[in-house]
Each structure stands twice: as C-alpha cells, then as structure tokens.
Amino acid sequence: MTIRELAQQHWDRKQAQRLLQENMQDQLIFAHSNGMWCANRELIAFLSAFQHTDHLVVEDIYGVPRTINPQELYEQACQRYQSAANAWAVAWADLAKVRKAAHV
Amino acid sequence: MPGLWPGLIWQKLERQHMSNGVLIAAFDSVTDQNQLLGYRALAQINAALIRKHLQLPVAVITDQPIDGFDCVILVDPPAGNSRHVRVGDIHQNYIWRNHVRTQAGNLTPWDRTLMLDADCLIQTDFFTSVFETDFDFMLVKNVLDISKSHNSDVDQMMLNFSIPQWWATAMYWKGSGKTYFDYAQMIADNYAFYAGVFGFNSQQFRNDMVFSIVAHMLPVQPFPGSLKIASGNLQLMSADSRGLLFIDDNNCRIRIHNTDVHVINKNITTQPRLDLLQEYAA
C-alpha cells in the first residue's frame, strides 16, 4: 500500500455499529413449533403474562397463528435474547476501543 | 424427464428420507484474459464453513469429480451467458454458468434442502432454523450492503416497478419443490418473453429474475432479516479470527465478524483470495 493510500484509509463507525445491530437482530430469530419467532422485548413481555396456561395461540413473525406452550417459548426467547444482547455488548465495547482505521 | 436441457447428464439419487442438507452449484470458468475463476475451490471452502457452522452435510452440482463434499452430483456444464468481471484492475468477460438452479429440485439428494451460492460465505448458524419450520419454499427478500447505510429498508422492485425483486442467493425447499421448479423452468424456457414483461435484460440469464416471478405467483416466505452483501467494489483483504476485512475503492475499511455474507466481487474466486479463505475455513 502506498503512503497516499495509507493516509486515505478510513472507516465508518456508525456503519460498523449498524452492522453490529443487524447481527444482533439476526441472532434473535429462532424456530419453535414450526414457526419463526423474534426474541424481542415485546414477545418476552407478552409471554410472561401467560405463564399460567399450557397452550396459547400466538402469531409468528410471518403472521401465521401457532399453538405454543408459553413457558417453553418464553424460556427459549429469554435465552436467545440474553445470548444475543451479551454478544452485542461485548462487540460494541470492542468497537469503542477502535480509534484508527488501521485498528479495524 | 421434462424440463431438462439437452446434454444434461445427471445421477438419479435416492432422496434420503428425512434428511436435511445444503446444496451448492459450482462450475469453474476462464475469462477472456485467461484468468481462472475457481468457483469449485470456493465451494469447497464454503462447504467447510457450512459443516462448521450449520453442521449439515453438503452436496455439490458440478461438472467434474471433486473432494470435500458429502455428495457430488455430476452434470454436463450448463449453458451460460457472457458476464463482465473486474479482477484487480483488469476488466474481463467470462461465461457465467448459472442455468442449473431451475433443476435443483430434481438434483438434490436431501429431503429438505438449503441451496446457497458458492460465494455466500456462512459464518453463523442462522440458516439452521429454517429446517424446523413448515414452510414449503423460502427465498431472500431483503439484502443489506455492508458498505452502505441504507437500502435494506426499501423494497427492491423489478426494473419496471411491477413486482418485488427477490434474490436466489439462498433458497430453501422441502422435497423436490416440484411446483416451484416446474414453474421456474417454464419461466427460464421463455426468458425473453418475461424479460419483456418485467423490464429486465433478456441477454443475461439471472436466477434472481426467474425466482422473483415464482415468488410473485406462488406462496414463498422470505428468510427473516437481511442477507448481508459485500458489493462489487469491496476487496477482501484478510480473513482471520477477527473476521473478514474488506476495503472499498475509497480505502474505507469494513470488518465483519460472525456474519453470513454474499461476496459479489469475483476476486474471491482467484488464487490469492482462495488461499486466504482456505486458511480461514480450516
């Protein structure tokens, strides 16, 4: 690489953060009872209100109504969310340490 | 077998009952500047990544015997179109052999198949979840260019803005997907007509166009989220435990880690990059 190219090297912090966020969103997706679900805060909060029942009909991310066991889906969603959020926090902290393009 | 092009030789395989697997089509090509585009070597590298992250067997559709796959399906090299590629600073043309995808339903040995492009590098277990759903056919609907900050929020449309455009980079189906592939083959056989209707280029055959029309007419589910793409102006510079590092034409560095990515730049089918990726996938 020439000196000119080295000097021109740069990186986009906001884009890097956005890619991390997209990654986290992808990691929230999981399959259960033949449907696809997103382990977001809305789903977790909704399921927590139905822990006393064995069966519940909920629409998945494609709008297809599925009969699920709320406790099982809730546990899986919580696990998924925690794992994705923890990984996101670690990656975000690593990104925060980057000061120069050469460190990317 | 209806719908096969003349000269196709294929192995009739017993479809393995209740089996899940990945299918890749890979055919090498040589440009008019004598540069070898090693799609088969790239497919071998991606197969290693798939086994590592998805823990699924991998089958390949190709024209010559090859190692590194659980199943090899030999066919005659399919027809192709001339396509432009930039390798380094040299602009070249090569024969892009992409006419096999409409036959994938007949060729796959798996009961549930995920078909991926050879240059769609798998680095997460994201695609394992689709095998646990009851959907018949899935395609990529949303893409995100890792070098841009927009475009995944906007629905991509066909050139005449009539129907949404989908991407055949990744496809999932159950069984032979007969209805879907018969329809795709009919569109492929009448490509010039459909190009006129939907406004795309009739001179270059693209599976994206064929399957976009299939998705418009038959029930197809999109893969959730957006498939990340490294556009043609991004060069792969390194691949290690920190991820894949790309640099664009303006020397902007982009590193991605634990992300499935479709690499558009065909430089990754040439030798220095293949060596890099081979070490990375090992």
Side-chain angles (χ1 to χ4, degrees), chain B residues 192-259:
Chain B
F193 169 76
Y194 285 96
V197 171
F198 292 103
F200 51 81
N201 182 3
S202 63
Q203 298 305 307
Q204 183 157 92
F205 181 85
R206 282 187 63 191
N207 289 297
D208 296 333
M209 301 296 129
V210 170
F211 285 96
S212 295
I213 300 167
V214 171
H216 179 61
M217 297 301 291
L218 297 173
V220 172
Q221 298 292 347
F223 287 109
S226 303
L227 178 67
K228 314 300 178 283
I229 59 171
S231 53
N233 64 329
L234 293 180
Q235 305 268 4
L236 179 67
M237 300 306 289
S238 73
D240 54 34
S241 56
R242 295 174 58 210
L244 303 179
L245 175 66
F246 295 90
I247 291 188
D248 72 7
D249 292 339
N250 297 320
N251 287 320
C252 182
R253 293 165 72 95
I254 300 155
R255 185 180 289 279
I256 55 170
H257 188 231
N258 290 342
T259 306

Side-chain angles (χ1 to χ4, degrees), chain A residues 24-91:
Chain A
M24 191 263 193
Q25 295 297 324
D26 288 345
Q27 285 174 42
L28 293 179
I29 306 292
F30 66 100
H32 184 91
S33 300
N34 292 327
M36 287 278 225
W37 308 88
C38 180
N40 54 18
R41 291 175 288 193
E42 183 195 342
L43 180 71
I44 292 170
F46 178 78
L47 290 173
S48 67
F50 290 92
Q51 294 298 289
H52 56 282
T53 59
D54 290 331
H55 299 286
L56 183 65
V57 176
V58 188
E59 61 173 5
D60 68 3
I61 61 173
Y62 295 110
V64 178
R66 308 275 181 185
T67 304
I68 52 103
N69 180 313
Q71 291 103 345
E72 281 176 17
L73 187 59
Y74 174 79
E75 277 166 24
Q76 204 170 345
C78 287
Q79 211 168 19
R80 202 84 188 180
Y81 179 86
Q82 263 190 309
S83 161
N86 287 346
W88 188 27
V90 169

Side-chain angles (χ1 to χ4, degrees), chain A residues 1 5 8-12 15 18-19 22-23 26 29 31 34-36 60-62 66 101-104, chain B residues 129-130 132-135 138 144-146 148-149 152 221-222 224 228 242 250-253 255 257-259:
Chain A
M1 204 173 280
E5 283 167 346
Q8 285 175 341
Q9 272 188 46
H10 60 284
W11 74 295
D12 187 338
Q15 178 64 2
R18 186 170 185 221
L19 288 176
E22 286 278 338
N23 257 10
D26 288 345
I29 306 292
N34 292 327
M36 287 278 225
D60 68 3
I61 61 173
Y62 295 110
R66 308 275 181 185
H103 296 159
V104 170
Chain B
S129 55
V130 303
E132 296 172 45
T133 65
D134 56 6
F135 300 124
M138 297 180 88
L144 175 68
D145 186 339
I146 63 173
K148 293 190 173 68
S149 58
S152 72
Q221 298 292 347
K228 314 300 178 283
R242 295 174 58 210
N250 297 320
N251 287 320
C252 182
R253 293 165 72 95
R255 185 180 289 279
H257 188 231
N258 290 342
T259 306

